Amino acid sequence: MKLTYFQGSPPNFGDELNATMWHHILPKGFFDEDPSTLFIGIGSVIEPKYPAEARKVVLGSGYGGYTVKPDVKDGMWDIRFVRGPQTAQVLGLDPKLAIADSAVLLRETPLPKPATNIGVAFMPHYESIERGNWQAACDLAGIRFIDPTHDTDKIISEILGADLLITEAMHGAIVADAMRTPWIGLRTIHKLHRFKWFDWAGALNIDYRPVFMFPSNCRETWALTTGRSGSGPRAKTVLGGKLASPMNFALQHMAARRLQAISKLDPQLSSDQNIERVTTRAMEAVDEFVDEYSARGSAACA
């Protein structure tokens, strides 16, 4: 069975959790590189790209709306649970399978020590790192910048130590919620990333209220108003060039002031009862999966 997840450049916090978390949750040596069975965990990775002949085992993934829907009833999908009710509805699954994003299982793993002197922190979506100017905006606002492309333990430590996390990255909110750190979710710059937030929140009965955030420069303004990436060569040259410097300077300061204003809003957090409920149900689904696949392996060796 092969551990399968999105591996981008630069790496993205939510996806990279797969590389460490599952090795704490599952038995030692559970994975190999056999592509005949694919283990699909954290991420918006329920999609039709996988080899048709491979068996796909899903534990806590979501459908992100980035692709056409896969045919999960073709006999090659073993879906144990999914991120939330919208994924279940779109794919025509039993609503009981909408348990939670599997990153909630970090609660069942050893965690790094909380970082100190964090205060209020901000985590952008990893795509906003390249096109935005968030480190500078955070410096101006006096808010701790958390880079979603950094080491996962470092990020978890910072989230654990924060008094409040403002986040454009959904897995920033998911991990903060799991760790009981209050969070405020921002409406993502690119609209394609918004569906999955409501999917996850629905599983935890969170009345998700995304907050509007000013873009940090001209490239992000372009992405926000046009729906394009803002990362093409023309956008970099024109919107990131010298002629745009005065406007970029102004937008950076507007973003800093907006971050300060957002930090004073009421944060969100699922109830203790709901986070315990979904953690228990997700862990039960994982244990059942391990027992079944271990038994199949034993039978095959007999």
Side-chain angles (χ1 to χ4, degrees), residues 21 53 57 84 100:
M21 188 192 81
E53 68 276 10
V57 183

Side-chain angles (χ1 to χ4, degrees), residues 45-104:
V45 288
I46 302 179
E47 51 191 24
K49 70 174 185 179
Y50 305 106
E53 68 276 10
R55 187 160 187 79
K56 281 77 71 173
V57 183
V58 173
L59 286 100
S61 314
Y63 173 70
Y66 303 126
T67 66
V68 298
K69 294 182 294 183
D71 180 7
V72 297
K73 299 183 179 180
D74 65 359
M76 298 305 292
W77 292 79
D78 180 0
I79 298 180
R80 299 307 174 110
F81 68 100
V82 294
R83 173 188 290 150
Q86 294 198 28
T87 289
Q89 181 180 26
V90 166
L91 299 179
L93 301 172
D94 186 335
K96 293 180 181 178
L97 295 177
I99 295 177
D101 187 288
S102 46
V104 74

Side-chain angles (χ1 to χ4, degrees), residues 4-21:
T4 305
Y5 59 96
F6 174 77
Q7 294 175 277
S9 181
N12 179 37
F13 172 59
D15 300 297
E16 292 299 314
L17 289 171
N18 287 288
T20 53
M21 188 192 81

Side-chain angles (χ1 to χ4, degrees), residues 241-269:
K242 188 174 181 179
L243 290 176
S245 291
M247 181 57 73
N248 283 328
F249 179 82
L251 288 168
Q252 176 183 305
H253 281 259
M254 288 173 64
R257 288 194 293 271
R258 180 62 176 159
L259 280 173
Q260 291 173 331
I262 290 172
S263 72
K264 296 176 173 62
L265 299 177
D266 291 334
Q268 296 203 259
L269 196 66

Side-chain angles (χ1 to χ4, degrees), residues 128-208:
S128 296
I129 294 292
E130 184 275 327
R131 73 177 167 228
N133 201 11
W134 290 108
Q135 176 73 71
C138 285
D139 289 346
L140 287 167
I143 287 174
R144 180 68 167 262
F145 174 74
I146 298 180
D147 189 331
T149 68
H150 281 176
D151 174 76
T152 54
D153 273 356
K154 180 178 187 297
I155 295 172
I156 293 169
S157 175
E158 291 172 326
I159 292 174
L160 279 166
D163 298 324
L164 167 69
L165 178 68
I166 302 169
T167 179
E168 185 196 13
M170 183 187 68
H171 276 95
I174 290 172
V175 173
D177 199 81
M179 301 296 105
R180 307 283 78 193
T181 297
W183 54 271
I184 295 174
L186 302 185
R187 191 177 73 167
T188 57
I189 293 289
H190 203 294
K191 62 183 180 180
L192 279 179
H193 300 309
R194 297 172 190 168
F195 169 88
K196 60 188 182 183
W197 276 85
F198 289 94
D199 186 35
W200 162 68
L204 281 157
N205 296 325
I206 297 170
D207 179 20
Y208 175 52

Side-chain angles (χ1 to χ4, degrees), residues 210-223:
V211 175
F212 175 76
M213 178 64 202
F214 290 138
S216 65
N217 60 19
C218 291
R219 288 173 61 190
E220 285 196 326
T221 302
W222 173 257

